[in-house]
Amino acid sequence: MQIPEGFMLGAASSAWQTEGWHGKKAGQDSYLDDWFKHEYFVWHEGKGPDVATDFMTRYSEDVALMKEIGLSHYRTSINWSRFFTDYENLVVDEDYADHVNNVINALISANVEPMIAIEHYEVPQFLIDKYDGWNSKRVVDLFVGYAKILFERYGDRVHQWFTFNEPIVPQTRIHLDGLRYPHDLNPKKWMQCNYNKVLATALTVQAFRSSSQSGRIGIIHNWEFAYPRATNNQLDVLAAKRFDLLYNRVFTDPLIKGDYSPELIKLLSDNHILFNSTDEELALIKANTIDVIGLNLYFPKRVKTPEHQWDPSAPFNPRKYYSDFELPGRKMNNSRGWEIYPPMMYDMAKVMRDDYNNFPWFISENGMGTENERRFKNSSGQIQDDYRINFISEHLWWLLKAVHEGANCEGYMLWAFTDNVSPMNAFKNRYGLVEIDLEDNLARHLKKSGLWYHELIETKQLNYSTRFAYRSQA
Ligand code: BG6
C-alpha cells in the first residue's frame, strides 16, 4: 500500500522517560521523580527516571540513529521541573535550557522535525506541594508563563507544539482510581484537574497565537476507544457512550469544538463532580480551540452494561456506568495485558470524520511493549522483533486505508524510538526501534524493526496485503 507524500513517519518519547537525572539540581523533582523516591518498590526492578536512557548525555547518539532510520519527526517533551530554578518567578535553569536548545538543533541538522509537548507528566513537585498541582488555577497561570518562555526561546525552530501528553492520565491514576502515589482518591479533584488542563491549553493557544512565532499548537490525547459488547443492545451502547464522554470527549469536545457537551455536563452534575469554572474562562476556551490533535491509540476498550449495582456511598467512578467485556478469542499483548485490535485505527478515523468534521489529527503513539526481549536476539546480537514489525504493519494498514478513503490523518508516530522507562513498568516492556542494553552500559543497538522502519520510510510502500493476517501472527 502506498504511503502518501508528506505523511509523517516518526517516533515519540518524552523527557522524563529518557533523560535521567544527570545535571539535575536540588528542588527540581517532577511528580514522577517524587513518586519514584517514595514508592521505588512499585517500579520494576527499582529502575526509573533517575537513569532512564541517559539521553541527557547521550542524545547525540540517539539523534544519529534517528537520522540513520530517516524519521521525519521526533516527539518528545521539555521537562518543566528542570526548566526552572524558581517556578513562580520563572527563573530559567540555563544549563537545562541549553540542553534543550542543543537537542532541537541536533534534530534539525539530522533532518528530523522536532515536535514538542510542553508537559508529559513532568509537573514540578514543588507546585504540587505548594498549590495542590493541577487542582489549582495558580498552576494554570504558571504553566502558561512557562509555555511563553518556550515559544520565545525555541519557537523560531519548533513549529509543532502540544500543551500536554495525555492530560487525563496522572489525575485518573491518582484521584479517580487511587492507584498511584499519593493515592488521593477524590473524583471531584479528578474533574477539576481535567478542566484546569483544558483551560491551560486554551490560554496557551491564545499565548501562542499572540506570539510572533509561526507553526501550530495542539494536544496529545490517549483516546480510549470504547466498543460496546453488542451494538444492538441499547444498554451496552449507553455504557460505551458514557465511557467515551468521561474519558475522551471531556477533553476533545472543548478543545476542538470549543464547548462541553450538555450530556457530559449533566453526567458530572448528577454525580456532584462538576468542575468550577467562570463564564469568562468558558468564553476563552471557546475562542481558543486547538489546530491539531495527536491521538495515542494502543488497545480497544470493550465495555458492557454494569454487572453489579453501584454503591451510592462509594466515591464516583465511571465504572458506575460500565463493566469490562473480554472478547473471547481476542488477540493479546500478554506482556502489557492489552488487546491487539488494528481495525481500531480505521474506526478512529470515522469518529474524527463524523464527529469532529475531519479535524486534522495523527497517531501520536502506537506500539508494542514486549517483555524479556533479549530472548529474540540472533547470533549477532540483534533483536529480531518481527512481532513489532507485524504490529506496526497491521495498524498502519488500517490507518492508510482510512487515509486513502479521505481521513484527515497526517501521520503515524511509533512509541517509542528507543526502549525507555515506563511508569512503574520501567524497562520491563521494551517498545523501541532501538534497544537500550542495560547489561552493556545502556548501549544502543538497532533492532530488526529499526531497519524495517527505515525501508518503509525510504520506499513509502507498506508491503502488507491482508487485513486478516494479524489473527495468525502472535
Ligand atoms: C502512553 C504514554 O500512555 O503510553 C507513555 O504517553 C507510555 O508515557 C506509553 O510510556 C506506553 O505505556 P506503558 O504504560 O506501557 O509505558
Side-chain angles (χ1 to χ4, degrees):
M1 195 181 278
Q2 180 73 34
I3 301 177
E5 216 32 62
F7 189 81
M8 301 184 279
L9 283 172
S13 191
S14 72
W16 80 268
Q17 290 174 277
T18 54
E19 283 178 342
W21 290 350
H22 179 90
K24 182 161 106 105
K25 304 193 169 93
Q28 285 188 322
D29 279 351
S30 69
Y31 159 67
L32 270 302
D33 298 339
D34 189 71
W35 173 27
F36 178 63
K37 286 179 179 177
H38 279 93
E39 282 187 349
Y40 59 91
F41 53 88
V42 306
W43 291 70
H44 186 70
E45 295 177 343
K47 294 203 163 34
D50 53 346
V51 178
T53 70
D54 194 21
F55 184 80
M56 279 305 288
T57 69
R58 299 181 72 160
Y59 70 87
S60 310
E61 281 176 69
D62 291 346
V63 175
L65 288 166
M66 289 176 206
K67 186 174 178 183
E68 192 176 329
I69 293 177
L71 296 189
S72 67
H73 294 74
Y74 178 61
R75 174 172 68 92
T76 186
S77 58
I78 293 177
N79 193 332
W80 184 7
S81 67
R82 292 195 62 172
F83 197 76
F84 296 105
T85 52
D86 179 337
Y87 304 109
E88 295 191 89
N89 296 304
L90 305 179
V91 179
V92 174
D93 179 338
E94 295 298 341
D95 296 332
Y96 183 76
D98 276 353
H99 161 79
V100 172
N101 206 47
N102 294 339
V103 170
I104 290 171
N105 288 342
L107 287 168
I108 292 170
S109 327
N111 215 13
V112 180
E113 183 182 338
M115 296 172 117
I116 299 292
I118 300 171
E119 197 234 59
H120 189 128
Y121 318 154
E122 298 109 342
V123 57
Q125 184 60 29
F126 173 87
L127 298 179
I128 296 180
D129 295 339
K130 185 156 181 189
Y131 296 111
D132 205 12
W134 279 110
N135 194 35
S136 151
K137 292 192 183 167
R138 169 80 176 134
V139 171
V140 171
D141 292 338
L142 291 172
F143 177 83
V144 181
Y146 157 50
K148 282 182 184 163
I149 297 177
L150 299 188
F151 302 150
E152 279 160 23
R153 290 195 175 215
Y154 310 118
D156 57 333
R157 286 154 293 149
V158 175
H159 302 298
Q160 304 213 51
W161 293 95
F162 300 90
T163 52
F164 297 93
N165 173 78
E166 304 193 346
I168 198 170
V169 166
Q171 63 268 19
T172 299
R173 308 280 184 269
I174 299 166
H175 301 310
L176 185 70
D177 295 333
L179 293 172
R180 287 188 188 168
Y181 180 83
H183 313 280
D184 174 16
L185 199 60
N186 186 333
K188 174 101 168 96
K189 221 188 242 190
W190 172 62
M191 195 46 67
Q192 191 63 46
C193 292
N194 290 341
Y195 172 75
N196 288 351
K197 287 181 175 179
V198 168
L199 178 62
T201 296
L203 284 162
T204 306
V205 168
Q206 184 185 48
F208 181 69
R209 294 205 177 123
S210 36
S211 76
S212 53
Q213 308 294 4
S214 60
R216 58 185 192 168
I217 184 159
I219 201 164
I220 308 286
H221 174 69
N222 51 307
W223 189 284
E224 297 215 40
F225 206 108
Y227 289 93
R229 169 182 55 181
T231 47
N232 66 347
N233 177 342
Q234 285 317 303
L235 291 175
D236 288 349
V237 172
L238 184 62
K241 183 166 189 187
R242 284 172 165 163
F243 182 96
D244 189 38
L245 283 170
L246 286 161
Y247 284 109
N248 298 319
R249 298 182 194 243
V250 62
F251 276 94
T252 51
D253 281 357
L255 292 176
I256 299 178
K257 298 178 175 175
D259 284 315
Y260 286 91
S261 86
E263 287 162 294
L264 175 65
I265 296 294
K266 179 162 184 330
L267 215 49
L268 302 183
S269 302
D270 290 351
N271 288 288
H272 315 290
I273 58 165
L274 185 60
F275 45 80
N276 297 319
S277 62
T278 65
D279 289 347
E280 195 192 347
E281 288 166 358
L282 293 173
L284 208 134
I285 290 168
K286 199 175 184 57
N288 293 284
T289 52
I290 54 176
D291 299 320
V292 58
I293 190 160
L295 299 172
N296 295 352
L297 221 55
Y298 286 89
F299 60 95
K301 178 77 190 172
R302 299 193 188 272
V303 300
K304 61 185 178 187
T305 191
E307 267 173 352
H308 305 288
Q309 197 173 0
W310 187 253
D311 173 356
S313 65
F316 172 77
N317 190 288
R319 287 185 183 279
K320 174 175 176 182
Y321 297 121
Y322 76 93
S323 290
D324 290 322
F325 170 63
E326 284 189 8
L327 181 71
R330 65 197 176 143
K331 183 176 178 185
M332 289 293 289
N333 170 1
N334 289 317
S335 301
R336 191 61 182 81
W338 286 345
E339 184 184 338
I340 299 176
Y341 184 62
M344 180 176 60
M345 295 281 161
Y346 188 75
D347 295 338
M348 187 73 246
K350 282 199 274 189
V351 171
M352 292 311 288
R353 182 194 66 196
D354 298 344
D355 298 358
Y356 291 98
N357 201 20
N358 232 3
F359 188 75
W361 64 286
F362 62 99
I363 290 295
S364 41
E365 284 182 31
N366 171 249
M368 179 158 185
T370 305
E371 193 166 359
N372 188 16
E373 223 182 16
R374 291 181 75 84
R375 75 195 130 125
F376 297 111
K377 284 198 173 193
N378 66 9
S379 53
S380 33
Q382 185 184 57
I383 291 177
Q384 303 299 293
D385 51 345
D386 294 86
Y387 43 87
R388 179 166 294 107
I389 295 170
N390 290 336
F391 182 97
I392 301 171
S393 301
E394 290 155 7
H395 285 82
L396 209 46
W397 191 92
W398 283 98
L399 190 64
L400 290 169
K401 173 173 157 63
V403 169
H404 289 299
E405 290 173 17
N408 199 4
C409 172
E410 301 177 350
Y412 175 90
M413 312 277 291
L414 180 73
W415 185 270
F417 180 62
T418 63
D419 294 337
N420 63 38
V421 165
S422 294
M424 294 198 292
N425 277 331
F427 280 108
K428 179 173 103 43
N429 302 323
R430 302 308 187 94
Y431 279 94
L433 295 171
V434 176
E435 178 198 4
I436 299 286
D437 191 343
L438 297 185
E439 293 174 21
D440 182 18
N441 190 32
L442 308 178
R444 276 78 168 142
H445 303 296
L446 280 187
K447 300 180 190 173
K448 185 176 177 185
S449 59
L451 298 173
W452 173 84
Y453 208 54
H454 167 72
E455 198 181 312
L456 183 80
I457 294 167
E458 285 278 293
T459 60
K460 299 269 186 303
Q461 275 295 333
L462 175 68
N463 294 319
Y464 200 76
S465 54
T466 163
R467 66 196 175 119
F468 296 115
Y470 79 94
R471 293 281 313 152
S472 58
Q473 288 179 350

